[in-house]
């Protein structure tokens, strides 16, 4: 296997590009793909102040690293979710990554700051843990970005993530979600701009990037995510990809090029993300569709709740 | 050779020589969902692993529902 660029021995094959790359040219490819996504989708300008949502996983650490390599002013924010040893390890990994590089990292621990954690919130609300986890992260990243004067929140969603979300939304024809599935969400009434610079790179490439850059990330999967629908969609798409390389990219970018605008145009006004009338949360001052926002409502519901021991799907 | 797998963590003894493609087929793993790592770096898909090798097969899939 030879590198497509220099003909030196390759370390990775990317079947959807029908190409192999050595370490140097693979890392360059990753940076080029991120730069292209930023430019093509007009994510942000040079000199923008960026807040990277970091979890200790491969994608968030890689996107932080790539943005810094590209010269962007990017700080990190980590949220301690209280998911047992998994959160302990992801916190250690993230802190070590930032400290080794001397990059600014803000940390918010849910239990310390808001007196709840994700397993407890899941039990109190009787909803899946990913629901409380997503709500908490979205609110805190949004709040930190607005208060910190950042130009955008950066997340590590990659091509596989976006294709899997698209697959799920399409299976159920969730047209309201399809109408707003984009790699950029513009800032609006109290919400920061949100961008996904990794949409041109797959999960396999992100692991390869971390290995080749010597980035130590948490490999173990979140114990509360095991068996969720999103992972099932990825498995299905990867079975297709193995038979027909390039399918995931064609599916996602074909949607962006040829379908998303139709769903956006057809979305009833009330379902359009820029059309929902918002007021100010009486508790935190953030944007809200009611008297208090969903996050503050969650904090109130979990107040005084006995912390629950971590339970894992599939365990006895 | 020693083959380390994750989620759950376990180690298998697999006789060499064997190509990466053949190893993944034997373990019924989709090439799109893993990378093979030896001594801290990636092993290309056309490499042949020997009896004395020790490799990690690292899953690449992750993510919650948000």
């Amino acid at each position: 296997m030879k590198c497509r660029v220099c003909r030196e021995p390759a370390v990775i094959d990317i079947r959807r590009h029908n190409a192999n790359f050595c370490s140097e040219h693979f890392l360059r490819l990753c940076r080029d793909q991120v730069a292209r996504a930023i430019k093509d989708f007009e994510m942000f300008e040079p000199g923008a102040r960026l807040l990277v949502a970091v979890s200790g996983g491969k994608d968030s650490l890689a996107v932080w690293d790539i943005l810094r390599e590209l010269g962007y002013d990017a700080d990190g924010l980590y949220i301690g979710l209280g998911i047992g040893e998994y959160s302990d390890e992801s916190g250690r990994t993230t802190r070590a990554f930032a400290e080794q590089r001397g990059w600014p990292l803000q940390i918010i621990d849910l239990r310390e700051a808001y007196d709840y954690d994700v397993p407890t919130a899941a039990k109190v609300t009787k909803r899946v843990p990913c629901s409380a986890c997503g709500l908490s992260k979205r609110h805190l990243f949004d709040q930190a970005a607005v208060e910190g004067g950042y130009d955008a929140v950066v997340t590590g969603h990659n091509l596989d993530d976006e294709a899997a979300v698209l697959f799920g939304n399409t299976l159920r024809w969730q047209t309201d979600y399809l109408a707003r599935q984009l790699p950029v969400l513009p800032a609006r009434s109290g919400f920061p701009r949100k961008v996904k610079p990794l949409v041109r790179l797959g999960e396999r490439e992100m692991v390869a990037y971390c290995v080749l850059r010597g980035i130590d990330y948490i490999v173990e999967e979140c114990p509360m995510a095991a068996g969720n629908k999103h992972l099932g969609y990825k498995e299905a798409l990867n079975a297709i990809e193995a038979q027909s390389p390039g399918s995931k990219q064609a599916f996602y970018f074909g949607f962006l090029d040829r379908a998303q605008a139709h769903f956006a145009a057809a979305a009833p006004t009330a379902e359009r993300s820029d059309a929902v009338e918002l007021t100010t949360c009486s508790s935190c001052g953030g944007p809200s569709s009611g008297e208090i926002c969903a996050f503050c409502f969650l904090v109130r519901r979990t107040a005084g709740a006995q912390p629950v021991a971590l339970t894992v799907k599939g365990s006895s | 050779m020693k083959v380390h797998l994750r989620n759950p963590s376990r180690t298998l003894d697999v006789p060499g020589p064997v190509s990466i493609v053949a190893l993944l087929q034997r373990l019924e793993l989709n090439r799109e969902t893993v990378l093979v790592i030896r001594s801290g770096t990636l092993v290309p898909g056309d490499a042949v692993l020997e009896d004395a090798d020790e490799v990690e097969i690292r899953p690449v899939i992750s993510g919650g529902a948000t």
Side-chain angles (χ1 to χ4, degrees):
Chain A
M1 240 169 65
K2 302 287 186 191
C3 174
R4 180 169 79 176
V5 181
C6 66
R7 310 307 299 166
E8 291 295 311
V11 296
I12 185 168
D13 60 307
I14 303 179
R15 294 175 70 211
R16 77 171 187 281
H17 293 324
N18 193 27
N20 310 312
F21 295 93
C22 69
S23 178
E24 177 190 344
H25 290 113
F26 173 74
L27 295 174
R28 184 185 297 177
L29 172 83
C30 292
R31 289 190 289 268
D32 289 349
Q33 292 292 332
V34 168
R36 181 174 168 189
I38 292 167
K39 181 171 180 285
D40 286 355
F41 296 107
E42 300 177 336
M43 290 185 175
F44 40 78
E45 298 293 326
R49 285 189 69 231
L50 306 173
L51 183 64
V52 183
V54 284
S55 66
K58 64 187 189 307
D59 303 305
S60 59
L61 296 183
V63 76
W64 196 6
D65 188 67
I66 293 171
L67 289 172
R68 283 272 180 166
E69 282 282 302
L70 291 173
Y72 287 100
D73 178 6
D75 299 343
L77 171 58
Y78 170 82
I79 296 173
L81 301 164
I83 306 175
E85 175 56 29
Y86 174 78
S87 286
D88 296 342
E89 183 60 30
S90 63
R92 281 193 293 271
T93 302
T94 305
R95 282 193 299 274
F97 177 88
E99 284 168 10
Q100 285 162 10
R101 291 158 179 80
W103 297 348
L105 174 68
Q106 184 183 347
I107 296 173
I108 300 173
D109 184 89
L110 285 183
R111 177 56 69 185
E112 285 178 13
Y114 297 98
D115 198 29
Y116 77 91
D117 52 46
V118 165
T120 305
K123 182 172 184 185
V124 169
T125 60
K126 298 186 174 70
R127 299 189 65 182
V128 294
C130 297
S131 174
C133 178
L135 168 63
S136 305
K137 288 193 290 192
R138 283 191 298 273
H139 176 88
L140 294 171
F141 286 126
D142 288 354
Q143 186 178 57
V146 170
E147 291 179 1
Y150 289 94
D151 294 301
V153 171
V154 175
T155 59
H157 294 94
N158 57 47
L159 173 61
D160 289 69
D161 294 322
E162 294 303 294
V165 169
L166 176 60
F167 190 56
N169 289 340
T170 306
L171 277 179
R172 287 171 175 71
W173 292 115
Q174 290 176 297
T175 54
D176 50 336
Y177 292 155
L178 291 166
R180 55 177 187 260
Q181 191 180 345
L182 287 165
V184 176
L185 288 177
R188 63 182 178 97
S189 53
F191 292 104
R193 187 174 183 82
K194 295 173 190 172
V195 298
K196 302 172 181 176
L198 296 184
V199 291
R200 298 191 62 84
L201 293 163
E203 279 193 301
R204 191 165 170 271
E205 286 118 83
M206 299 329 301
V207 169
Y209 182 89
C210 288
V211 171
L212 295 173
R213 287 281 290 167
I215 294 172
D216 183 25
Y217 67 92
I218 183 162
V219 177
E220 282 67 35
E221 183 53 82
C222 172
M224 309 206 89
N228 73 25
K229 281 185 199 167
H230 191 70
L231 291 171
Y233 296 151
K234 285 185 173 182
E235 191 177 336
L237 286 170
N238 278 323
I240 296 169
E241 185 80 12
Q243 297 297 318
S244 178
S247 294
K248 287 182 287 193
Q249 181 166 320
F251 180 49
Y252 177 62
F253 284 96
F255 164 74
L256 292 181
D257 289 342
R258 284 175 263 164
Q260 192 276 335
H262 296 290
F263 288 106
T269 305
E271 290 182 349
R272 285 169 49 184
S273 60
D274 60 354
V276 177
E277 197 166 322
L278 295 173
T279 180
T280 301
C281 173
S282 62
S283 179
C284 71
S288 174
S289 56
E291 191 222 332
I292 64 167
C293 68
F295 176 78
C296 291
F297 186 65
L298 177 66
V299 172
R300 285 189 187 178
R301 284 191 73 184
T302 54
Q306 185 70 25
V308 300
L310 179 65
T311 55
V312 180
K313 285 181 186 175
S315 65
S316 54
Chain B
M1 81 192 73
K2 298 269 187 232
V3 179
H4 302 289
L5 294 132
R6 305 258 196 164
N7 298 336
S9 289
R10 58 208 188 278
T11 299
L12 304 176
D13 278 309
V14 177
V18 63
S19 70
I20 296 290
V21 172
L23 175 64
L24 297 182
Q25 282 177 345
R26 190 178 300 177
L27 298 173
E28 298 182 338
L29 292 171
N30 182 340
R31 282 184 66 198
E32 296 298 325
T33 66
V34 295
L35 281 170
V36 180
I37 298 168
R38 179 176 53 192
S39 302
T41 196
L42 302 176
V43 185
D46 63 348
V48 174
L49 300 171
E50 303 294 339
D51 249 348
D53 278 325
E54 184 164 348
V55 297
E56 174 193 348
I57 297 181
R58 187 173 296 186
V60 304
I61 308 301
S62 64
T66 57

